[in-house]
Amino acid sequence: QVFDFGPSSEFLFNNLKQANIDLRKIALLNSDSKELPGFIKQNWSMMNTPIVISLGSAAHKILKKNRIEHKELGHPSMYNRFHHNDNTLLGKLKSLNI
């Protein structure tokens, strides 16, 4: 699912850039995507993405249920609302060692 250009998405992508994470090397899965289970079932084997990152607990649960190895983050809207100025998301992204 394509991410929109709202404040949380902008915040996420700015932090990914600051963490020097190459967007071509990751797959971001959003917790509020209703299409995620079907996408995984139909398309996962076609994806050639080395690092999967779940954004939020719902995406984490779906990936775990489908036994897909991934790194877990909180949802970007939570970081944007409550940790916008304290570099929490940036620190979490750097700790993923991507």
Side-chain angles (χ1 to χ4, degrees), residues 30-62:
N30 194 350
S31 64
D32 65 1
S33 174
K34 294 173 182 70
E35 296 84 16
L36 185 55
F39 174 81
I40 290 171
K41 187 175 183 179
Q42 293 176 1
N43 301 304
W44 197 257
S45 63
M46 295 172 23
M47 292 185 69
N48 187 20
T49 304
I51 300 168
V52 178
I53 302 172
S54 67
L55 302 174
S57 60
H60 167 69
K61 288 176 189 174
I62 291 168

Side-chain angles (χ1 to χ4, degrees), residues 31-97:
S31 64
D32 65 1
S33 174
K34 294 173 182 70
E35 296 84 16
L36 185 55
F39 174 81
I40 290 171
K41 187 175 183 179
Q42 293 176 1
N43 301 304
W44 197 257
S45 63
M46 295 172 23
M47 292 185 69
N48 187 20
T49 304
I51 300 168
V52 178
I53 302 172
S54 67
L55 302 174
S57 60
H60 167 69
K61 288 176 189 174
I62 291 168
L63 291 168
K64 186 175 178 180
K65 179 180 177 181
N66 286 279
R67 295 186 178 121
I68 296 172
E69 186 177 330
H70 63 284
K71 297 181 181 272
E72 181 181 4
L73 281 178
H75 198 276
S77 61
M78 183 268 303
Y79 292 110
N80 189 35
R81 288 183 194 137
F82 303 111
H83 302 284
H84 188 84
N85 295 316
D86 65 7
N87 293 323
T88 299
L89 179 57
L90 180 59
K92 296 274 186 184
L93 288 167
K94 287 181 177 182
S95 74
L96 296 177
N97 297 317

